[in-house]
Amino acid sequence: MAADKSVRRVALLTAGGLAPCLSSAVGGLIERYTEVAPDVEIIGYLNGYHGLLSGRHVVVTPEVREKAGLLHKFGGSPIGNSRVKLTNTADLVKRGLIAEGQNALQVAAERLVADGVDVLHTIGGDDTNTTAADLAAYLQEHDYDLTVVGLPKTIDNDVIPIRQSLGAWTAAEQGALFARNIVAEHSSNPRMLIVHEVMGRNCGWLTAATAKAYRDWLDQQEWNPGIGLDESSWDVHAVYVPEATIDLDAEAERLRKVMDENDCVTIFLSEGAGVPSIVAEMEARGEEVGRDPFGHVKLDTINPGAWFAKQFAERIGAEKTMVQKSGYFSRSAAANDADLALIKQCTDYAVDAALRGESGVVGHDEDRNDELRAIEFPRIAGGKEFDADVEWFTTLKSTIGQS
């Protein structure tokens, strides 16, 4: 494929939290350029927008191109991530990424020009791509001839209007794998309460999909209840997501019966479930709630899993409580086959769009009959809610007795 616009050098950056797609997406972009436009130079900014502002990058050499396929086998990001918001001037000055009085968008734009970059590929979630949108708008307003093409990375699957974010399927699969060992802890003590906290700030898709993947595994097992190997003890007994109201009193009454019958209770909890209540409690006590550069509550500082465990433990008669978080385990995995296929679709399209000079975030557009396209940056947003009324999730809840 010949380039429709003059593209001599492209830059890649990965940003935000990790997801099981970053390494593969970098590899896929390198492979596609090597296939259709081998003369185009490729660089990678280190640690995302942090490296863009500080001017740190690596050059993709012929040796790197030759082994780019290896990146599909690994998690993490070979060029590194960070959480940097180009419009949060105070945070950038504090971190020494720009000087007092500088405009980060201008600094980033001038760095791209100085590095001779014609196309910037951003691989990240809603924050990364809304930051890319800010940069793209600045470049357009100031007549910089640069194409910005993003790829949607978020294990929460919560980018509007993209049907499926890269890495989310793998994260659910890995969360279910994590749960296999954690749920075995039900046998470590009488009347055991286990809370499996799953990542998902505002969207419960990952928690629901993880619970479904875990229960799909349960359905494939054989059991020996006469010696205590009973499916009901290994099951999920409650799944809580931010999009559904949780009646703590009713659930405590239901789960007390589950505990009496099974000697254990296992809850799959989205880390964003109940956050407003937890934050309100903390602020009422005069405690400061930590927030990141994007203004999001730092969930690891408020510990939703522990809060829910505290609400239920006494009411259901738990003798011992365990809270375990699968987030870092699941988000750092290598992509599974389903995600690898989706990543290839999107990276191939991203390169082709870049060579056409077409900016946007590549994904299946839910507002355009799931067409794969470069979606316009102004339409990209985070916070897409999970449809808690979708049939597969309501069936799951009904099966475990949760209304």
Side-chain angles (χ1 to χ4, degrees):
M1 174 182 292
D4 294 334
K5 64 166 278 186
S6 178
V7 177
R8 297 161 299 172
R9 174 177 271 197
V10 304
L12 319 177
L13 68 78
T14 58
L18 296 181
C21 65
L22 293 172
S23 185
S24 180
V26 170
L29 290 170
I30 294 171
E31 287 178 317
R32 183 62 172 173
Y33 275 111
T34 301
E35 177 187 356
V36 301
D39 293 334
V40 171
E41 296 179 358
I42 306 173
I43 65 171
Y45 286 109
L46 299 175
N47 301 111
Y49 292 112
H50 193 291
L52 176 56
L53 291 176
S54 58
R56 296 179 302 113
H57 71 259
V58 293
V59 176
V60 176
T61 64
E63 291 76 19
V64 171
R65 287 177 186 259
E66 185 180 347
K67 294 185 176 182
L70 295 176
L71 297 179
H72 298 301
K73 300 180 179 181
F74 290 85
S77 169
I79 52 178
N81 281 33
S82 66
R83 292 191 183 275
V84 172
K85 186 174 179 64
L86 296 183
T87 55
N88 189 339
T89 301
D91 178 66
L92 297 174
V93 171
K94 180 180 178 181
R95 295 165 71 175
L97 293 173
I98 62 172
E100 194 75 50
Q102 283 188 308
N103 179 338
L105 292 171
Q106 181 180 358
V107 173
E110 291 178 351
R111 171 59 59 187
L112 290 165
V113 172
D115 289 341
V117 174
D118 302 301
V119 174
L120 174 65
H121 286 285
T122 58
I123 310 165
D126 56 290
D127 288 334
T128 298
N129 285 307
T130 52
T131 296
D134 293 333
L135 180 57
Y138 181 91
L139 292 165
Q140 187 175 28
E141 290 168 9
H142 293 81
D143 298 322
Y144 287 91
D145 184 20
L146 188 139
T147 302
V148 182
V149 183
L151 288 167
K153 170 252 19 157
T154 164
I155 61 174
D156 300 347
N157 196 29
D158 63 346
V159 179
I160 298 170
I162 292 171
R163 184 191 69 197
Q164 187 71 29
S165 298
L166 311 184
W169 283 323
T170 304
E173 178 183 86
Q174 291 293 313
L177 174 60
F178 178 92
R180 294 184 201 177
N181 290 357
I182 294 307
V183 175
E185 287 285 338
H186 75 266
S187 60
S188 67
N189 202 81
R191 301 189 71 83
M192 186 76 175
L193 169 61
I194 297 173
V195 178
H196 174 197
E197 186 177 324
V198 183
M199 280 187 169
R201 178 182 300 279
N202 300 309
C203 179
W205 181 90
L206 180 60
T207 302
T210 300
K212 183 179 185 304
Y214 177 75
R215 297 200 81 252
D216 287 347
W217 172 78
L218 277 186
D219 289 342
Q220 297 170 13
Q221 309 311 306
E222 292 187 46
W223 305 96
N224 190 354
I227 191 63
L229 185 61
D230 194 319
E231 183 176 6
S232 61
S233 298
W234 282 79
D235 209 343
V236 181
H237 304 116
V239 184
Y240 300 137
V241 297
E243 295 84 357
T245 301
I246 305 168
D247 185 333
L248 289 174
D249 292 331
E251 279 296 276
E253 183 178 351
R254 179 179 74 86
L255 293 177
R256 178 83 187 214
K257 295 175 182 176
V258 173
M259 179 69 84
D260 292 343
E261 292 171 4
N262 297 301
D263 207 32
C264 63
V265 165
T266 295
I267 297 171
F268 277 37
L269 169 74
S270 174
E271 64 181 356
V275 165
S277 299
I278 301 170
V279 170
E281 277 191 15
M282 293 177 66
E283 291 179 337
R285 294 194 300 264
E287 298 177 25
E288 183 177 351
V289 178
R291 298 180 185 273
D292 67 17
F294 292 86
H296 303 317
V297 172
K298 292 183 176 179
L299 293 173
D300 58 341
T301 65
I302 65 172
N303 209 342
W307 187 86
F308 270 91
K310 181 180 178 182
Q311 306 308 307
F312 282 121
E314 184 174 349
R315 284 194 264 187
I316 69 174
E319 184 175 307
K320 183 178 179 181
T321 300
M322 170 181 285
V323 178
Q324 291 290 321
K325 305 179 182 183
S326 62
Y328 293 112
F329 177 87
S330 60
R331 77 176 198 172
S332 56
N336 66 12
D337 289 343
D339 268 315
L340 286 173
L342 179 61
I343 291 164
K344 179 167 175 54
Q345 267 192 302
C346 292
T347 52
D348 283 0
Y349 192 98
V351 171
D352 296 348
L355 294 174
R356 293 192 300 267
E358 182 181 350
S359 291
V361 180
V362 174
H364 292 89
D365 190 337
E366 291 184 308
D367 297 334
R368 304 282 180 89
N369 296 315
D370 287 339
E371 178 189 355
L372 180 64
R373 57 190 301 272
I375 301 168
E376 300 78 8
F377 277 112
R379 296 179 54 218
I380 298 297
K384 181 175 75 172
E385 291 189 350
F386 167 60
D387 180 5
D389 293 323
V390 70
E391 189 273 335
W392 62 264
F393 185 55
T394 57
T395 298
L396 184 155
K397 289 198 297 181
S398 176
T399 303
I400 65 176
Q402 180 181 342
S403 64

